[in-house]
Amino acid sequence: MFTGIIEELGEITAIEPSGDGVRLTVRAPKAVSDAGHGDSIAVSGVCLTVIAQDAESFTADVMKQTLDMSTLGGFGVGTPVNLERATATGGRLGGHIVQGHVDGTGSVLEVRPGAQWSVVRVSLPADLAPLVVDKGSISVDGVSLTVSAVSDPPAGSETGDAGQWFEVSLIPETLAATTLGGRSPGDRVNLETDILARHVQRLLAFTPQYTSNEGGSR
């Protein structure tokens, strides 16, 4: 379990094929300072398991499904990454509940620099759009952020992404301390929606009577 508060910027130092996946080595001196075999570390929002480490780096296996669902498949040696160790019991929950289980990816559509912050607009896959709300929480490349604007639902029988998007406003600290400060239009980012929203969606899928007024309340 994570909170989306990035602890350090790391860097991919090695990528090796491993079956239908890959084995990544990440430079992460702070993250490995108290890490042990089997510990979890979020790498740009993806929860990975430490299989080896030294004083400066750790290594983790990444399976094909993770490569397909996230941006990790496009990483190369030298790619900067956001890093966060798993939350310690009794610690402060500075962001929101982040599992490190990426739901999908979006693309940066627009970056609007401001005097004190930048507004970033990101595309939303159609299946994730209902889970994102104005002033709600979302994890972008592992960073816990508050949604500052969201597109309207598609009208009528529109299907597909239908131009769905959300915006986040990034303060100078976030721009400097994470990879988001270097994002530009066209870049892909990992998205994890709020776990509470996903649970509600799943519950409603099994109780369709709650989504309709037909037959009165139950």
Side-chain angles (χ1 to χ4, degrees):
M1 192 70 67
F2 306 92
T3 68
I5 304 300
I6 303 305
E7 297 184 286
E8 68 174 325
L9 283 172
E11 181 181 317
I12 304 296
T13 59
I15 303 175
E16 301 175 4
S18 178
D20 62 357
V22 298
R23 180 163 289 183
L24 290 182
T25 300
V26 184
R27 184 181 182 278
K30 183 173 183 178
V32 299
S33 62
D34 62 352
H37 185 85
D39 283 356
S40 296
I41 297 176
V43 178
S44 287
V46 181
C47 179
L48 298 180
T49 301
V50 175
I51 62 170
Q53 88 253 28
D54 57 29
E56 291 287 317
S57 305
F58 72 92
T59 299
D61 286 324
V62 185
M63 60 184 177
K64 183 178 184 300
Q65 182 184 16
T66 303
L67 296 174
D68 292 342
M69 287 289 295
S70 72
T71 62
L72 264 62
F75 284 5
V77 173
T79 298
V81 290
N82 298 319
L83 298 173
E84 181 190 357
R85 292 170 290 184
T87 303
T89 302
R92 292 183 177 88
L93 187 63
H96 71 285
I97 297 173
V98 178
Q99 295 181 296
H101 302 160
V102 171
D103 294 315
T105 63
S107 294
V108 176
L109 300 175
E110 182 183 2
V111 178
R112 303 197 302 274
Q116 297 296 325
W117 59 81
S118 286
V119 177
V120 180
R121 178 175 291 191
V122 181
S123 66
L124 262 177
D127 59 328
L128 301 186
L131 304 175
V132 180
V133 299
D134 188 27
K135 305 302 184 292
S137 296
I138 192 167
S139 170
V140 180
D141 277 349
V143 184
S144 174
L145 298 171
T146 300
V147 176
S148 56
V150 67
S151 57
D152 292 329
S157 59
E158 288 184 33
T159 59
D161 288 2
Q164 295 296 295
W165 52 265
F166 70 94
E167 290 183 349
V168 289
S169 298
L170 307 181
I171 62 173
E173 173 65 17
T174 303
L175 295 170
T178 75
T179 60
L180 298 183
R183 292 301 188 188
S184 57
D187 288 348
R188 290 175 64 223
V189 292
N190 294 320
L191 303 177
E192 181 184 335
T193 57
D194 192 338
I195 181 62
L196 298 179
R198 298 202 303 273
H199 274 300
V200 170
Q201 184 184 59
R202 180 67 170 170
L203 286 168
L204 290 175
F206 280 91
T207 54
Q209 66 269 30
Y210 294 149
T211 65
S212 172
N213 291 325
E214 294 181 7
S217 59
R218 301 188 183 188

